[in-house]
Amino acid sequence: MGNTGGKKREFWLAEKGLTHRQDETTQLEERQDETTQLEEKKTEAGFIPGHHEAEVCYGGEADLHKHYTGCKKNPGHVNFIPVNDFNLDHLPSRYRDVIMLEVIKALSALTVLIKVKFTSLKRPKSVPCFSGQYPCYNYRGSDVLRTGTGRVCGVVKYTESDNKGTCPCGKCQHSDTPSKVWGEVLVMTATHVVFDESEARRTRCVVGFDDNKSPGVSLDGWRVRWANIKGDWCWFICVSCDLELVDELYKMCRHLYDLCGKVWNKYLGFLDVDKLAVIVSHPHGCPKQVSVGQWTHKHVRKAWYTKYAKDKYTYTTCTCPGSSGASVYLLGCGRSLWSHHHSGSNSEGNYSGEVL
């Protein structure tokens, strides 16, 4: 992995076009007394607010299997495919080629289980994209476990010559010889999963939790890089001194980025044909699953902080509590994986947050 200094040394796939974090918390808190019952009332973009799909576990991790077996949304989870079992036969006939399978496998390799053990005191009471109260508003200040899903989007590795100090991960913080070589791992998820820095510092991301025999490797949450409440997207940084893991994630980011360009060239113009929508997530905080469906509607709004329109999608692709924050791969939506992510569910189906 290169270490040439300055911007060239970094590999932030999300860096282009962003100069600062968009933070709407203050504006939203000023509107806490406004009406919160938004169910079935469409926004100006024609979108119906719905409910989040983070998993809340009052009994801690011991509750996760119970939530999985007792799931009312998708009893039996028959439309979820364990990641290790996913193959070409699970895709529509038009897309049964090796490159599509490689994209989904690479996306799966970068998908992480997110465990959050603190709920920020700054969570607002209501926002337009969710009906009723904002997710977990009533849990503010508590250590109730919440789980969601995210995706590694970029990696940067520091050496002693970068003068970044020692690794801030939990292991190094309690060591007499903290590592002077370490990595930052950028993770994309939904804001209602990881809201701000107070939550990021009590978050762990598990890489490689593909089945019950592969518990995966944990990354320690550190700080939020960008977040937007209305769009329901958050990019936060994890840290690790596991250099083998840091290097592997870097390579996989590059690999996925290259694959997405090839798929774009091969299936250019197919966004509105089969409307393919694929999600890799950790339903109920359990091992990684793949679900395949179609997007059904595109909602577009003009955002105040950019000259470009922001969009979100509704889709049939199966999700469950714990799927919040998972990448939603929409074939033909973009040349690279500037993907949407899963946000919630309403009367029209499952829906994404806005693309960054």
Side-chain angles (χ1 to χ4, degrees), residues 29-43:
E29 288 179 341
E30 291 173 351
R31 299 200 298 270
Q32 284 184 2
D33 293 330
E34 295 180 3
T35 303
T36 61
Q37 298 304 317
L38 301 172
E39 187 66 28
E40 300 301 331
K41 293 183 179 180
K42 291 189 176 182
T43 65

Side-chain angles (χ1 to χ4, degrees), residues 83-84 206-217 282 286-288:
V83 66
N84 291 332
V206 183
V207 181
F209 183 29
D210 294 347
D211 55 50
N212 287 318
K213 295 180 181 179
S214 305
V217 181
H282 285 278
C286 293
K288 202 177 295 174

Side-chain angles (χ1 to χ4, degrees), residues 269-302:
F270 277 70
L271 177 63
D272 296 321
V273 179
D274 294 300
K275 300 183 176 181
L276 183 65
V278 180
I279 297 176
V280 183
S281 70
H282 285 278
H284 308 286
C286 293
K288 202 177 295 174
Q289 307 281 316
V290 183
S291 50
V292 180
Q294 295 177 308
W295 65 268
T296 56
H297 193 74
K298 179 179 180 179
H299 308 271
V300 181
R301 76 173 178 89
K302 183 68 174 67

Side-chain angles (χ1 to χ4, degrees), residues 3 5 9 158-164 180-181:
N3 190 41
R9 176 174 42 77
Y158 297 116
T159 65
E160 189 171 355
S161 63
D162 293 313
N163 296 316
K164 290 290 185 176
K180 296 180 181 180
V181 182

Side-chain angles (χ1 to χ4, degrees), residues 141-194:
S142 76
D143 59 359
V144 172
L145 173 67
R146 295 177 285 107
T147 71
T149 305
R151 175 174 64 86
V152 174
C153 300
V155 178
V156 57
K157 181 178 177 182
Y158 297 116
T159 65
E160 189 171 355
S161 63
D162 293 313
N163 296 316
K164 290 290 185 176
T166 58
C167 179
C169 76
K171 176 184 175 180
C172 286
Q173 290 298 303
H174 295 89
S175 171
D176 293 331
T177 56
S179 179
K180 296 180 181 180
V181 182
W182 52 284
E184 292 184 358
V185 178
L186 183 67
V187 176
M188 178 191 78
T189 189
T191 307
H192 74 268
V193 175
V194 178

